[in-house]
């Protein structure tokens, strides 16, 4: 007798309950942070485009820090190299957790989001290079449109009121995690020069000490925070972008749970640090990076200069085509089936939403055109414009299916037996069916009592006198 064929892998299938709970908790914080990020970006634009614009420049360029340690930096520089190290620290923990306990732990399951993310980074870069090659612009900004900003994307979802089912949200989160990983590699490889090997060796030694302390089970923020600051300072002085230190330390944390643990150390620290990253570090970075002068001429330049047009088209067109095409090709060649509750237009809407590339795109824009302040500001404006267009298009596409998403999300939350576990996750549990039978019997009995009290029999006829 022939062996039964394996069950086809589902694209955007239902998450396990622990993974669903983790995603819900993580994205709840990111959504709040995304709203703060939007407010900070708007505040920066208003501040920079009013009569107080000179004060914005003065504050951003104000230097503070010990010059003897090579850390006499501007406020804008501290926000980009210092505060974003916290953001990348959380990104490192997320990546580690995805690799050991999340969607990336199974190579077969990881193939689809990884391929989608890679295509979603390659296509925007190709679009940018095509536009700048045709227009005779600089190829230096090819990496600017490759990044997705998960907080900004979630803020858009919060504003338009779309309750995406957990599978779509998890796919977006996994895309962003893989996206962050390759953004980190791009920063490390392409934006590192003039290496100071003594400082780099010191940073590496500090990371080794950090790793050994973790393996020995040493606890206490008063040990790790000062050590992290030393590692960060050495990494900055080495010529490697300082945010790499945050990623490295995040990856060293243990994110697998041992017997008796409700949370792994990595998950616990992420839970503590994520609000600081999403609620303070990233909004402050946006405040001191998004303040560009906006005029009719500068807006028209966004669509006429090859570098800025390349960024806009990379975010809006490249991201959508790359992620959608990568997902479709991965599903096609792995013979995976799309979740029957969803459709391919849902994937296109999510791919369009991923075209919102704010935080890391702004950072890479500053690094790519660091010698040209005017072009840097123009590229920042193009990141803002491209992200805005992607957000509007995604909102239109998502609103067309909002009732489907709300119904799926409500089904995931339904808990009629009041067990604390959504019913959809208990359907294979015999105890669940016993509880539901008891609930239905109780409701039927209550209905009979009300009918008898009203003088009507339970079958709808008059009760006997």
């Amino acid at each position: 007798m022939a062996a039964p064929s394996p069950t086809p892998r589902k694209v955007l299938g239902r998450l396990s309950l622990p993974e669903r709970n983790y995603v819900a908790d993580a994205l709840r914080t990111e959504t709040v942070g995304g709203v703060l990020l939007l407010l900070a970006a708007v505040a920066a634009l208003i501040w920079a485009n009013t009569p107080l614009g000179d004060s914005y420049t003065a504050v951003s360029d104000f230097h503070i820090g010990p010059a003897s340690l090579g850390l006499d930096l501007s406020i804008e520089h501290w926000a980009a190299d210092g505060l974003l190290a916290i953001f990348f620290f959380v990104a490192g923990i997320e990546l580690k957790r995805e690799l050991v306990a999340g969607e990336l732990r199974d190579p077969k399951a990881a193939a689809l989001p990884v391929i989608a993310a890679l295509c979603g980074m390659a296509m925007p870069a190709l679009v940018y290079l095509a536009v700048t090659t045709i227009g005779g612009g600089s190829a230096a900004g090819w990496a600017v449109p490759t990044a997705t900003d998960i907080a900004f994307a979630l803020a858009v979802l919060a504003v338009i009121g779309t309750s995406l089912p957990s599978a779509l949200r998890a796919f977006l989160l996994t895309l962003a995690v893989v996206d962050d990983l390759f953004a980190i590699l791009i920063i490390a490889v392409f934006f590192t020069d003039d290496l100071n090997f003594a400082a780099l060796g010191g940073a590496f030694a500090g990371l080794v000490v950090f790793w050994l302390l973790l393996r020995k089970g040493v606890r206490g923020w008063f040990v790790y925070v000062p050590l992290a600051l030393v590692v960060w300072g050495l990494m900055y002085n080495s010529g490697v972008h300082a945010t790499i230190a945050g990623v490295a330390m995040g990856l060293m944390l243990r994110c697998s749970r041992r017997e008796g643990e409700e949370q792994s150390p990595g998950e616990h620290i992420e839970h503590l640090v994520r609000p600081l990253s999403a609620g303070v570090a990233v909004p402050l970075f946006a405040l001191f990076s998004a303040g560009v002068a906006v005029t009719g001429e500068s807006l028209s330049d966004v669509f006429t200069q090859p570098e800025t047009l390349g960024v806009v088209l990379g975010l809006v067109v490249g991201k959508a085509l790359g992620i959608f095409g990568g997902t479709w090709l991965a599903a096609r060649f792995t013979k995976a089936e799309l979740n029957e509750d969803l459709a391919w237009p849902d994937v296109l809407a999510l791919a369009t939403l991923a075209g919102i590339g704010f935080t890391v795109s702004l950072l890479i824009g500053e690094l790519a055109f660091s010698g040209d302040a005017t072009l840097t500001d123009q590229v920042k404006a193009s990141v803002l414009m491209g992200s805005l267009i992607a957000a509007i298009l995604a909102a239109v596409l998502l609103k067309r299916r909002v009732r489907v998403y709300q119904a799926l999300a409500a089904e995931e939350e339904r808990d009629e037996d009041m067990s604390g576990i959504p019913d959809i996750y208990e359907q294979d549990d015999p105890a669940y069916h016993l509880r539901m039978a008891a609930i239905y019997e109780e409701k039927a009995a209550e209905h009979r009592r009300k009918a008898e009290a009203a003088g009507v029999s339970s079958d709808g006829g008059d009760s006997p006198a």
Side-chain angles (χ1 to χ4, degrees):
M1 185 174 65
S5 59
T7 303
R9 185 179 300 279
K10 291 289 184 183
V11 178
L12 302 178
R14 187 193 311 158
L15 303 177
S16 66
L17 183 59
E19 187 68 10
R20 171 191 172 277
N21 292 339
Y22 168 80
V23 168
D25 182 60
L27 297 188
R28 192 176 300 113
T29 304
E30 290 289 357
T31 301
V32 175
V35 173
L36 294 175
L37 174 64
L38 283 175
L39 294 175
V42 171
L45 288 170
I46 294 173
W47 189 2
N49 289 277
T50 61
L52 297 175
D54 290 341
S55 67
Y56 178 84
T57 303
V59 173
S60 297
D61 293 341
F62 182 77
H63 278 62
I64 188 173
S68 60
L69 298 178
L71 297 174
D72 182 20
L73 310 178
S74 67
I75 297 296
E76 181 181 0
H77 209 160
W78 275 110
D81 281 40
L83 291 177
L84 279 195
I86 301 173
F87 166 80
F88 279 107
F89 173 69
V90 173
I93 300 175
E94 287 179 338
L95 176 61
K96 179 67 173 290
R97 189 199 165 277
E98 288 288 328
L99 289 170
V100 301
E103 291 293 293
L104 302 180
R105 70 187 184 280
D106 178 4
K108 292 182 179 179
L112 190 143
V114 169
I115 291 172
L118 287 174
C119 292
M121 298 187 78
M123 186 60 72
L126 292 174
V127 168
Y128 177 91
L129 290 173
V131 172
T132 53
T133 299
I134 294 171
S138 170
W142 64 270
V144 175
T146 61
T148 294
D149 194 303
I150 183 67
F152 204 152
L154 291 171
V156 171
L157 293 178
V159 169
I160 66 176
T162 301
S163 300
L164 289 186
S166 60
L168 287 177
R169 288 176 175 262
F171 186 64
L172 185 61
L173 178 61
T174 304
L175 281 176
V177 169
V178 178
D179 210 300
D180 287 341
L181 168 64
F182 286 98
I184 292 160
L185 294 176
I186 288 171
I187 291 170
V189 173
F190 294 98
F191 299 104
T192 295
D193 50 16
D194 299 326
L195 283 177
N196 181 330
F197 288 99
L200 184 60
F204 181 77
L207 290 172
V208 171
V209 172
F210 189 89
W211 181 81
L212 289 173
L213 290 174
L214 288 172
R215 291 300 171 271
K216 294 293 184 181
V218 176
R219 297 185 178 183
W221 66 267
F222 49 85
V223 174
Y224 292 101
V225 172
L227 178 58
L229 292 174
V230 170
V231 171
W232 175 87
L234 288 168
M235 189 70 76
Y236 175 82
N237 281 285
S238 73
V240 177
H241 200 270
T243 53
I244 304 300
V247 177
M249 287 183 280
L251 286 169
M252 289 181 183
L253 295 175
R254 177 170 62 82
C255 292
S256 56
R257 299 180 187 181
R258 292 175 179 170
E259 188 175 352
E261 286 184 339
E262 291 187 3
Q263 285 184 317
S264 66
E267 290 173 319
H268 176 67
I269 293 172
E270 181 189 8
H271 183 74
L272 295 176
V273 179
R274 185 186 288 276
L276 177 63
S277 170
V280 178
V282 174
L284 282 177
F285 168 75
L287 181 64
F288 291 108
S289 292
V292 294
V294 178
T295 63
E297 183 180 357
S298 65
L299 289 178
S300 66
D301 286 345
V302 167
F303 298 101
T304 56
Q305 291 194 14
E307 294 88 355
T308 51
L309 180 61
V311 170
V312 172
L313 292 179
L315 289 171
V316 177
V317 178
K319 272 289 183 182
L321 290 180
I323 293 175
F324 180 83
T327 304
W328 186 86
L329 287 172
R332 174 72 176 81
F333 288 104
T334 60
K335 298 183 179 179
E337 294 181 355
L338 184 67
N339 182 352
E340 59 273 8
D341 294 324
L342 299 172
W344 284 109
D346 300 319
V347 180
L348 179 61
L350 207 66
T352 305
L353 185 68
I356 299 173
F358 191 76
T359 306
V360 178
S361 291
L362 290 177
L363 175 62
I364 294 178
E366 291 180 356
L367 296 173
F369 301 104
S370 58
D372 189 335
T374 301
L375 187 53
T376 298
D377 282 348
Q378 291 171 339
V379 167
K380 286 183 179 181
S382 67
V383 170
L384 296 173
M385 182 60 69
S387 298
L388 177 62
I389 294 172
I392 293 172
L393 291 176
V396 172
L397 293 173
L398 290 168
K399 275 294 187 182
R400 291 172 60 89
R401 297 267 292 168
V402 65
R403 292 184 178 178
V404 175
Y405 301 146
Q406 289 175 343
L408 291 174
E411 180 65 17
E412 288 181 359
E413 297 295 331
R414 188 166 57 85
D415 184 18
E416 291 190 3
D417 63 344
M418 305 298 287
S419 64
I421 299 174
D423 294 343
I424 199 169
Y425 289 96
E426 295 185 295
Q427 292 177 355
D428 295 330
D429 182 5
Y432 162 76
H433 294 287
L434 290 175
R435 289 196 302 272
M436 292 305 297
I439 290 171
Y440 292 143
E441 178 58 34
E442 182 178 346
K443 288 182 178 179
E446 183 178 356
H447 174 72
R448 287 194 296 269
R449 287 195 297 271
K450 288 181 178 179
E452 291 170 358
V456 180
S457 64
S458 60
D459 60 2
D462 293 336
S463 59

